Amino acid sequence: MPVVSCHHDEGDSLWLWTMKDVMRASVGVMGESALGVTEKVVFLDGKCHVLKRFRTVCVQRKVFAQRIARLASLCEQCAYLVPLNAYLYSKRFKFVVCDYYPMGSLHDLLLGPRKLGHTPLTWNERFKIIFQIARAIAFIHSQPRQDKDLMVINIHGNLKTSNIMIDIDFSIRIANYGFTQLATEICDVDKQKAQSPPSPLPPENNIDKLLSQKSDIYHFGMMLLDILGGPNALISTQRVFERKEDILSNKFEFFEFPYEGTDKMQIFKVFDIAMACVHRLPQVRPTIENILLYLCK
């Protein structure tokens, strides 16, 4: 069975892949989530790719193909989204093939200094990553709400640091755009069988509101807190709110990286954005357009 190219270009070598090629490739598990398993695949020719293998999907083959093709087209239009190269929909396997990024994810990049003693990211590197994530979200949120397949394409649906891939120049690519709408746990709304995403849930946790731009903004805010203050900042956002004035006046040590006085205003600006993004009331959270305007001031 061939692994079908997302781009329908007969000159693309992906058209030559078969299930046999995939099975003969060297495979290493990179991570697991409610959606499925992420694997690094090294083919016999030495080329590396990432294979996103779904545990189960809620759409039939034709709709799956249409949605993957649509997502692939959108990913091609934004420099901050992981390209989708090919897919397979069979009785036993359903997966998507994506580009491989040897530096790993933002989660890996933040975990290295915390657990392994690696050199922590500088503020300039962190801000570059933050700004590019915001640009990617802005692209997604600017799309019309639904396409002809009734897929909501103006929402990511699963923003977290492990889905932010880092390239060698510290540019970012957001992975798994739209994938929650292929997985039964998320899009089987009628049966109400959604599983909690493996990231902090917004206060409005219910199936109707998980796929919303306000939920995306909440998760963006949680990523900002992680980038600024580390995992302790995620334990209780309420405690961060309570200590906000102490943090801004340097009475409470919060930021996990050294910084110079010239960076202070920009760092506190990002902290203000994070606090606004994780507000309990969705309607109070800023839009990504307003966030970008504030970051550019």
Side-chain angles (χ1 to χ4, degrees):
M1 176 175 291
V3 180
V4 182
S5 168
C6 291
H7 311 287
H8 304 292
D9 177 6
E10 294 190 19
D12 195 325
S13 63
L14 289 170
W15 279 98
L16 303 179
W17 287 2
T18 65
M19 196 60 210
K20 183 178 180 181
D21 294 324
V22 175
M23 296 304 291
R24 292 172 62 192
S26 172
V27 176
V29 175
M30 299 173 65
E32 294 188 54
S33 70
L35 296 180
V37 180
T38 301
E39 300 169 332
K40 175 185 176 182
V41 180
V42 183
F43 289 91
L44 295 180
D45 62 4
K47 292 182 180 179
C48 295
H49 292 273
V50 169
L51 189 149
K52 305 275 187 178
R53 178 159 51 88
F54 295 97
R55 297 185 191 282
T56 182
V57 299
C58 63
V59 293
Q60 298 300 313
R61 182 195 302 267
K62 182 179 179 180
V63 175
F64 184 89
Q66 290 171 339
R67 291 189 174 185
I68 290 297
R70 178 64 173 134
L71 292 172
S73 174
L74 289 168
C75 290
E76 284 185 334
Q77 299 173 37
C78 180
Y80 304 122
L81 295 176
V82 171
L84 308 184
N85 299 323
Y87 72 89
L88 176 75
Y89 188 109
S90 68
K91 184 174 181 180
R92 184 178 178 187
F93 297 106
K94 298 166 183 66
F95 61 71
V96 176
V97 180
C98 309
D99 283 358
Y100 171 71
Y101 296 90
M103 287 190 65
S105 69
L106 177 56
H107 174 79
D108 300 327
L109 208 58
L110 294 172
L111 187 65
R114 295 166 184 170
K115 300 292 186 180
L116 305 174
H118 296 170
T119 303
L121 294 174
T122 66
W123 169 245
N124 286 337
E125 290 167 340
R126 292 172 197 254
F127 184 76
K128 177 180 179 180
I129 289 169
I130 289 167
F131 188 73
Q132 291 182 14
I133 295 173
R135 290 282 300 274
I137 297 172
F139 172 82
I140 294 170
H141 285 193
S142 70
Q143 302 304 312
R145 174 170 170 77
Q146 289 184 331
D147 67 0
K148 62 184 178 181
D149 300 318
L150 299 181
M151 181 173 59
V152 181
I153 58 173
N154 69 340
I155 295 164
H156 183 280
N158 193 18
L159 289 170
K160 54 184 179 178
T161 54
S162 59
N163 280 340
I164 310 297
M165 309 312 297
I166 308 295
D167 216 336
I168 55 176
D169 61 353
F170 284 94
S171 62
I172 69 99
R173 295 267 190 165
I174 296 185
N176 292 8
Y177 168 36
F179 283 8
T180 52
Q181 294 177 75
L182 302 171
T184 300
E185 290 86 350
I186 299 299
C187 66
D188 195 356
V189 177
D190 294 333
K191 294 183 179 180
Q192 299 284 295
K193 289 185 178 179
Q195 291 185 0
S196 298
S199 55
L201 288 173
E204 69 276 16
N205 174 25
N206 64 59
I207 186 63
D208 297 318
K209 296 180 180 179
L210 281 177
L211 286 177
S212 71
Q213 292 191 349
K214 292 301 184 181
S215 178
D216 275 357
I217 294 298
Y218 178 89
H219 288 110
F220 177 63
M222 294 301 285
M223 285 194 290
L224 293 185
L225 289 179
D226 193 5
I227 293 169
L228 292 172
N232 290 335
L234 306 181
I235 294 175
S236 173
T237 55
Q238 183 60 37
R239 176 168 171 77
V240 177
F241 270 111
E242 293 170 354
R243 302 300 299 268
K244 180 178 178 180
E245 294 305 318
D246 290 339
I247 292 170
L248 295 177
S249 61
N250 290 325
K251 294 179 181 178
F252 179 72
E253 188 173 338
F254 176 78
F255 304 104
E256 70 164 2
F257 53 90
Y259 61 91
E260 299 178 354
T262 53
D263 296 326
K264 185 175 179 180
M265 184 177 296
Q266 191 178 56
I267 292 170
F268 285 178
K269 182 186 292 187
V270 172
F271 178 71
D272 281 338
I273 291 172
M275 291 290 90
C277 289
V278 298
H279 198 284
R280 292 191 61 82
L281 299 176
Q283 62 271 24
V284 176
R285 297 171 199 156
T287 64
I288 195 64
E289 291 82 6
N290 287 338
I291 289 171
L292 277 171
L293 286 173
Y294 192 42
L295 285 175
C296 293
K297 283 184 178 179

